[in-house]
Amino acid sequence: VEVWKEEAEITEAEEAAEQLDVGAYIDLLDSYRKFRTIDLSSGETTSDELIELLSKLESTRKVRYVKRLLLTGGMFEDSACMEKLSRFLLRRECRVSALDLGWCCISTEGVKSLSKAIAKAKHLLALNLEGNEITEVGAGYLAEALKNNKTINNLALSNNVFGDTGATRLANCLKGHPTLQYLDIGACEITSEGILPVCENLVGKFVHVEEDEDGLVIDGESADSKVQTLILNGNDIGDDGGLIIGNSLYVTSNVTSLQLQNCDLSSDTGIHIASVIASREDIPLKE
């Protein structure tokens, strides 16, 4: 979350200055106040409250001033809330660049509604949907939306439940994304089965490696991807998945940061990954 906030250029001072409750925002909007940041991350905002706030922004013609919607911890089970948010994001004058919906109890239907806006949003740079128990069905909606999106560079989807099927759908649709640089799919119940399409589409497609008198001969190609930071922490990928990741590093030309904490990797797999990194003088990986 801190990384994508930094990408969206949100400062602690701005957050502290704008952290109010819904009622306060509505009162200030009526008094001609404009907001670049709407920060409701400190309270459990309800669906009705968010709908009321978005409606007030529309009625006071202040939609275009809002750059960041920080709604962490909201209670948005009602899909009507996400439908309203989707319509808000699709307004011609909307300029929201950072949207934080972490831990907001969003239903599958809510994800479906939100995906309509994600597909067409022209200004959205950072999106946080962690901790919403997004299933493989919801991941499918997101994947199709992201395939059409041309702006997001920071995507946080950790602590969801879409598993291998959802990871495969996302990876297939994120291949070739023109702007995505940061992807967090940690703790999403992904195993080695889901890691394979993730690596092939976002890291590199490894085929074979052998050593001759001139050194290593590697067969494979880097992924058609701009992803630089890939976070896989907390997925039970095991040694099979670790081997896939290590081999993909033979050919990657884009990944500079890779996180694999608590992924059930043995020391032998760790040694394999380290040996791959050591074998490449031109590897872009920095951490």
Side-chain angles (χ1 to χ4, degrees), residues 8-272:
E9 298 180 351
I10 301 174
T11 68
E12 293 181 3
E14 284 179 309
E15 291 186 43
E18 306 295 358
Q19 205 164 61
L20 308 169
D21 61 22
V22 172
Y25 276 116
I26 288 174
D27 290 342
L28 289 169
L29 286 168
D30 275 331
S31 64
Y32 305 104
R33 178 75 183 273
K34 304 179 182 70
F35 293 95
R36 290 184 62 206
T37 299
I38 300 291
D39 187 354
L40 295 170
S41 58
S42 62
E44 296 179 342
T45 308
T46 67
S47 295
D48 289 342
E49 286 176 331
L50 180 58
I51 290 172
E52 183 181 7
L53 177 59
L54 296 177
S55 297
K56 177 60 69 172
L57 285 164
E58 292 169 341
S59 66
T60 55
R61 298 183 179 181
K62 294 174 182 175
V63 173
R64 67 181 182 274
Y65 299 109
V66 180
K67 307 299 182 185
R68 298 172 285 271
L69 277 174
L70 309 181
L71 306 171
T72 304
M75 297 179 290
F76 305 145
E77 302 95 333
D78 187 353
S79 60
C81 175
M82 288 298 101
E83 182 64 36
K84 174 66 175 179
L85 178 58
S86 181
R87 293 197 302 270
F88 180 87
L89 294 171
L90 287 172
R91 292 179 69 96
R92 181 178 300 178
E93 69 272 31
C94 183
R95 297 292 185 272
V96 171
S97 61
L99 178 60
D100 184 354
L101 288 167
W103 308 95
C104 284
C105 308
I106 302 173
S107 67
T108 299
E109 283 302 307
V111 173
K112 181 179 181 181
S113 296
L114 185 63
S115 295
K116 299 174 186 176
I118 293 172
K120 298 180 180 180
K122 296 182 179 180
H123 300 277
L124 190 60
L125 303 177
L127 175 63
N128 180 18
L129 286 170
E130 67 174 333
N132 281 292
E133 296 191 3
I134 296 173
T135 65
E136 62 186 62
V137 176
Y141 293 137
L142 284 174
E144 288 302 315
L146 291 164
K147 184 166 63 175
N148 294 305
N149 174 274
K150 306 297 181 186
T151 61
I152 289 177
N153 61 41
N154 203 305
L155 179 62
L157 295 174
S158 62
N159 292 284
N160 284 297
V161 295
F162 48 73
D164 293 331
T165 301
T168 299
R169 291 175 177 173
L170 286 165
N172 289 341
C173 289
L174 288 174
K175 178 181 180 180
H177 193 283
T179 59
L180 186 65
Q181 296 181 11
Y182 175 99
L183 177 63
D184 185 353
I185 49 174
C188 287
E189 302 184 6
I190 303 170
T191 70
S192 58
E193 182 180 342
I195 285 297
L196 180 60
V198 168
C199 285
E200 289 188 344
N201 287 298
L202 303 178
V203 183
K205 189 172 183 179
F206 171 81
V207 178
H208 178 69
V209 62
E210 62 182 34
E211 188 171 3
D212 62 14
E213 58 185 17
D214 296 321
L216 293 179
V217 179
I218 301 169
D219 185 10
E221 59 182 359
S222 182
D224 178 15
S225 169
K226 287 185 169 60
V227 172
Q228 296 178 5
T229 299
L230 179 60
I231 300 177
L232 298 169
N233 300 333
N235 287 301
D236 190 16
I237 63 176
D239 287 336
D240 289 342
L243 180 63
I244 292 169
I245 292 169
N247 287 340
S248 70
L249 294 177
Y250 272 122
V251 292
T252 190
S253 63
N254 55 288
V255 175
T256 60
S257 177
L258 177 64
Q259 295 188 26
L260 296 168
Q261 297 177 37
N262 301 314
C263 286
D264 195 27
L265 304 178
S266 70
S267 57
D268 287 342
T269 299
I271 291 171
H272 169 67

